[in-house]
Amino acid sequence: MPSVRLLYFSRATRELALSDMQDILATARSNNAEINVCGMLCYDNRYFLQALEGDRAIVSELYLDIADDPRHDDVVLLSLEEIQAPEFNDWGMGYASSSPRFNQLLTELKQDVFEPGALSQQDALNLLVQLSQQQDNI
Ligand code: FAD
């Protein structure tokens, strides 16, 4: 089965505490390691933007599970593309949230606050790649 990268964004149903993010990441990292999925998640302004990479059928099923999670809604699929090699292979699920670096990248994208719905697929992917190089340690 070909490998794919799926990108989506969503809105948290409430402002999330650090412990909420730790819960999400602990589940994601342990589950993704078992199913051989990697990716990158970012959170700011109550928006999530996430990339999932792995086997097409597995990523597809995982995305449907994640989209059902009551901790977020307004889930919007940005892209699903076949890939030759993963971009986020170094971690089960990388993570970054608001930081001076995040704000600088948003400024370069002409955003005062994080609005993933206004980004192109390519800008969203580039943002995650840049953020993956300076992650939050949680
Ligand atoms: P269970 O843990 O039994 O969950 C049962 C149901 O309860 C599911 O619908 C689950 O979504 C929901 N749920 C679980 N914990 C809570 C809670 N604290 N509050 C409210 N509802 C809860 N999982 C991955 O495996 N990989 C990922 O990369 C990944 N990324 C995520 C990104 C985001 C933004 C969010 C919000 C969640 C993510 N998750 C991820 C978690 C995922 O949505 C499921 O919780 C996880 O797959 C376990 O679901 P389950 O049905 O197997 O088990």
Side-chain angles (χ1 to χ4, degrees):
M1 189 73 79
S3 289
V4 296
R5 177 186 308 116
L6 183 152
L7 284 182
Y8 77 87
F9 65 89
S10 62
R11 196 97 211 259
T13 37
R14 59 177 172 83
E15 195 59 57
L16 297 180
L18 180 62
S19 59
D20 296 311
M21 286 312 312
Q22 285 168 330
D23 279 353
I24 290 172
L25 287 167
T27 307
R29 286 169 177 157
S30 122
N31 187 32
N32 294 0
E34 274 177 34
I35 57 178
N36 220 12
V37 166
C38 54
M40 178 72 201
L41 174 67
C42 74
Y43 177 70
D44 190 28
N45 190 29
R46 268 186 54 199
Y47 283 108
F48 292 106
L49 171 65
Q50 188 174 29
L52 299 166
E53 294 177 334
D55 174 272
R56 181 166 61 194
I58 289 175
V59 165
S60 182
E61 194 177 337
L62 177 61
Y63 170 67
L64 294 177
D65 279 350
I66 294 173
D68 246 5
D69 194 311
R71 288 170 284 191
H72 63 168
D73 57 15
D74 299 334
V75 181
V76 176
L77 183 64
L78 263 172
S79 63
L80 175 68
E81 59 177 345
E82 282 187 22
I83 52 171
Q84 297 307 314
E87 191 71 58
F88 304 106
N89 202 22
D90 290 347
W91 30 82
M93 186 50 60
Y95 177 68
S97 64
S98 59
S99 66
R101 174 72 180 139
F102 201 149
N103 288 337
Q104 182 198 337
L105 292 168
L106 291 180
T107 304
E108 288 168 18
L109 290 165
K110 317 232 175 309
Q111 296 205 339
D112 294 332
V113 289
F114 185 38
E115 293 270 2
L119 297 178
S120 67
Q121 292 173 23
Q122 195 55 53
D123 282 345
L125 175 60
N126 289 344
L127 176 64
L128 286 173
V129 170
Q130 300 283 326
L131 288 171
S132 72
Q133 287 154 15
Q134 202 173 323
Q135 299 189 27
D136 293 20
N137 196 13
I138 70 166

